[in-house]
Amino acid sequence: MGKNLAGKALFIIAVLLVFAYGIVGIPHGGLKQSIAKRIHLGLDLQGGIHLVLQVHVAEAVNSATDRDVARLNEALATMGAGAVKLNAADAAKTEAPGFNAAQANTITIQGGTPAQQSDIHGILNGTEYANYDIGTNPSGNYTLTMKQLAIHDLEEHTLEVSIETIRERIDKLGTLEPVIEKYGLGDNEILLELPGVFDPGTVQKIIETTPKLAIHEVVGPSYNSQADALAGVNGVLPPDEMIMGGNAGMGGGTQYWVLKRAAIVEGTDFRDAQPGTDENGRPDIGFTLTTDGGDRFYKYTDANKGTGQMAITLDNNIREVATIQSAIRDQGRITGGFTQEQAQSLSQSLRSGSIPATISYLETQVVGPSLGAESIHDGVMASIAGLAVVLIFMLVYYKGAGINADLALLLNLLILLGFMGFTGATLTLPGIAGVILTIGMGVDSNVLIFERIREELRAGKTAAAAVQDGFGHAWITILDTHVTTVVSAGILFLLGTGPVKGFAVTLTIGLCANIFTAVFVSRTIFDYLLSKKDRSAALSI
């Protein structure tokens, strides 16, 4: 065997050993257990939970306009003018029938004198209001309407932040290869698939404890009912205020407060949170704000210390109402009758991030492991049957060269499964279909090569020349078919959901492995066989 041929053989053996290690790793227990630790099964094979969530992105848009109203009122205070939002609604009602979303994204400025129009116009031309179309109404007041592009961007950002926040929370479950992505069948929906997890309550608890936290200014005293709170403002709730209930950690029945709609700080302003205890030994939570959130919080607490109150709300429920004793910048504490477990869970949730809008469950399904076992059995049997038929066909039709093709095909599957073991890719039922298709593509490549070699032999060439020309002429066709298929798989990966992506991944890996085995490995085997024969000897093909 020549040095060049020996080097190729050693390289093939090294590849064989590396990818065999990718499949089984360092064996612990039986072979089946070792493979199971390396090759992760998807939801459709091992069972798990399938959830479809909807993010109420209108809440985030509503909160953004509330903050802009508060900012405008602060800038216009010295002019005697004020800003209000038309048809403002509670966050929980932003998607209720009859709600006018366009009006909820419109702000009007009233009370300015003609002499102040220039100053007001100067404020509105600031970069803070670049997302609004600015105009005037028949009464001469300014109107700011959020641009549709800005609304779309804010909704997209809200959905993306929600996905990333949920991902951080779900990762703490330790589930392998969860699918958390946009769901293309509906607006602002998230697909969540967790292989190997079978308790929807645990998952929902983890998601729901990723809270929407905010601190609002309190207007007036507490009330025993929502009706009493509304009566306290003479039956007419100002557009920039809302009514919210909670026990505020005081025990007893629910109390209601009138709050400023715009939050002083909210979930995305919290940088860190840690559980602790207060001066009485009761569990509480210490928090740290971002620089921007801390500046806003300090400005509010400094202006209202000694008299003002603020409400800490969690998912639209008041957890604590506190009197502002002193100015607070970037650090504070949340108390309110927490248990140690609740304080630990809530602080962990805040560290993971706060979802910028509430979430509802549209679909919950638990896929049992028995279905997964049946799918695995059927898929594996189909793969084995298909592989056996192909191997036998190649042996019968191409004689000795069929052994060459069969070895290359088996190495192709070894590389495919080993690569999945190394990368932690998830094997799904469509992924098994990708494996079967890879077998077909591998056979197709060998057929192209072998038929070309037969043509060269019929043309009177020696076995060595026929092999060389056969591989040389078939190479371009093989590369062309594989590249076009990989491009198609890439499109499926980019546009498809989890199972479709699994098919695309296994198909792509299998095709890349097939080029290596069908061209390099198969050619090396032919060269080795020819090196043992006379130049005039016939080739079994």
Side-chain angles (χ1 to χ4, degrees):
M1 185 185 294
K3 291 184 178 180
N4 188 38
L5 195 57
K8 290 181 179 179
L10 289 174
F11 178 71
I12 293 172
I13 293 173
V15 170
L16 175 67
L17 293 176
V18 168
F19 284 101
Y21 173 79
I23 295 176
V24 299
I26 300 176
H28 292 287
L31 179 62
K32 185 176 180 180
Q33 289 80 1
S34 298
I35 294 175
K37 290 180 180 179
R38 306 285 294 183
I39 307 296
H40 307 310
L41 302 181
L43 179 70
D44 51 357
L45 295 182
Q46 67 168 309
I49 293 176
H50 168 95
L51 295 172
V52 178
L53 315 175
Q54 184 168 51
V55 182
H56 297 271
V57 295
E59 293 182 6
V61 178
N62 199 46
S63 296
T65 51
D66 284 338
R67 289 193 298 271
D68 289 333
V69 167
R71 185 186 296 114
L72 276 169
N73 281 327
E74 185 178 339
L76 297 170
T78 58
M79 304 180 189
V84 295
K85 189 165 68 172
L86 297 180
N87 197 29
D90 291 340
K93 300 178 181 177
T94 52
E95 296 179 5
F99 175 72
N100 191 325
Q103 286 186 326
N105 301 326
T106 300
I107 301 170
T108 182
I109 297 176
Q110 303 169 343
T113 66
Q116 295 171 332
Q117 295 300 307
S118 178
D119 293 335
I120 295 175
H121 191 72
I123 293 172
L124 298 181
N125 282 337
T127 56
E128 300 94 335
Y129 310 106
N131 289 333
Y132 290 88
D133 289 321
I134 301 173
T136 57
N137 56 31
S139 62
N141 296 322
Y142 282 96
T143 58
L144 291 79
T145 304
M146 187 175 286
K147 299 175 181 177
Q148 287 303 313
L149 179 60
I151 294 174
H152 178 267
D153 290 344
L154 184 54
E155 290 177 344
E156 284 292 309
H157 177 72
T158 301
L159 187 61
E160 291 170 3
V161 171
S162 298
I163 290 174
E164 290 307 312
T165 304
I166 292 173
R167 188 187 308 279
E168 290 182 14
R169 296 294 293 144
I170 292 299
D171 284 346
K172 292 180 174 59
L173 274 175
T175 182
L176 294 172
E177 299 297 323
V179 174
I180 308 172
E181 59 188 19
K182 294 180 182 178
Y183 193 49
L185 299 184
D187 292 333
N188 306 311
E189 294 177 2
I190 299 174
L191 173 66
L192 178 60
E193 293 184 342
L194 305 177
V197 180
F198 299 98
D199 184 5
T202 299
V203 177
Q204 291 182 11
K205 182 179 179 181
I206 287 176
I207 295 174
E208 288 167 358
T209 54
T210 305
K212 183 182 178 184
L213 182 71
I215 299 178
H216 294 263
E217 178 182 351
V218 175
V219 181
S222 63
Y223 299 91
N224 293 324
S225 68
Q226 214 168 357
D228 289 343
L230 187 60
V233 291
N234 298 321
V236 180
L237 189 67
D240 62 340
E241 296 177 2
M242 62 182 177
I243 298 173
M244 187 178 296
N247 60 24
M250 298 178 297
T254 300
Q255 297 289 301
Y256 293 86
W257 286 263
V258 178
L259 309 180
K260 285 292 186 182
R261 186 177 301 279
I264 306 165
V265 291
E266 53 188 352
T268 52
D269 295 316
F270 288 82
R271 183 170 57 192
D272 189 23
Q274 297 292 337
T277 55
D278 61 17
E279 61 276 5
N280 297 314
R282 295 173 301 186
D284 66 1
I285 300 166
F287 64 84
T288 303
L289 299 172
T290 62
T291 301
D292 180 60
D295 289 343
R296 282 186 276 115
F297 199 42
Y298 177 81
K299 189 173 183 179
Y300 170 75
T301 54
D302 184 55
N304 294 276
K305 58 187 176 184
T307 56
Q309 286 186 309
M310 58 185 180
I312 298 172
T313 69
L314 188 64
D315 289 332
N316 297 320
N317 182 63
I318 295 177
R319 296 304 300 263
E320 181 184 1
V321 173
T323 300
I324 303 169
Q325 302 294 342
S326 61
I328 304 173
R329 184 173 294 279
D330 60 350
Q331 292 185 333
R333 306 199 71 80
I334 306 172
T335 61
F338 299 111
T339 64
Q340 191 64 49
E341 181 182 358
Q342 289 172 332
Q344 180 71 36
S345 176
L346 179 55
S347 60
Q348 185 182 59
S349 300
L350 292 175
R351 289 195 301 273
S352 299
S354 174
I355 294 178
T358 56
I359 287 177
S360 59
Y361 296 84
L362 299 182
E363 183 180 341
T364 302
Q365 293 182 0
V366 178
V367 180
S370 59
L371 176 61
E374 183 180 347
S375 299
I376 293 174
H377 178 267
D378 292 345
V380 170
M381 293 304 297
S383 299
I384 292 175
L387 180 61
V389 170
V390 168
L391 294 179
I392 294 172
F393 170 81
M394 297 301 286
L395 287 173
V396 172
Y397 194 74
Y398 289 110
K399 304 175 184 177
I403 300 175
N404 183 336
D406 289 349
L407 290 174
L409 195 58
L410 292 174
L411 181 56
N412 185 5
L413 293 177
L414 180 71
I415 293 174
L416 170 58
L417 295 177
F419 188 88
M420 295 185 70
F422 276 124
T423 59
T426 300
L427 182 63
T428 61
L429 197 58
I432 293 178
V435 173
I436 296 174
L437 183 56
T438 296
I439 295 173
M441 293 291 289
V443 172
D444 180 66
S445 299
N446 283 286
V447 168
L448 285 172
I449 294 170
F450 291 175
E451 289 300 320
R452 187 69 193 196
I453 291 174
R454 281 180 168 181
E455 289 181 9
E456 301 296 338
L457 289 172
R458 285 194 291 266
K461 293 184 179 180
T462 64
V467 168
Q468 180 176 348
D469 291 344
F471 274 92
H473 290 120
W475 159 246
I476 297 300
T477 302
I478 293 172
L479 182 64
D480 179 62
T481 56
H482 281 61
V483 168
T484 53
T485 308
V486 168
V487 170
S488 300
I491 294 173
L492 289 176
F493 183 83
L494 293 175
L495 301 181
T497 56
V500 176
K501 288 184 176 181
F503 172 79
V505 168
T506 54
L507 180 59
T508 301
I509 296 171
L511 291 173
C512 293
N514 186 53
I515 292 178
F516 170 73
T517 57
V519 177
F520 183 82
V521 175
S522 183
R523 176 65 185 273
T524 301
I525 294 174
F526 270 119
D527 288 344
Y528 173 75
L529 294 175
L530 291 172
S531 69
K532 301 297 182 181
K533 297 177 179 287
D534 294 332
R535 291 181 59 86
S536 59
L539 187 65
S540 177
I541 188 171

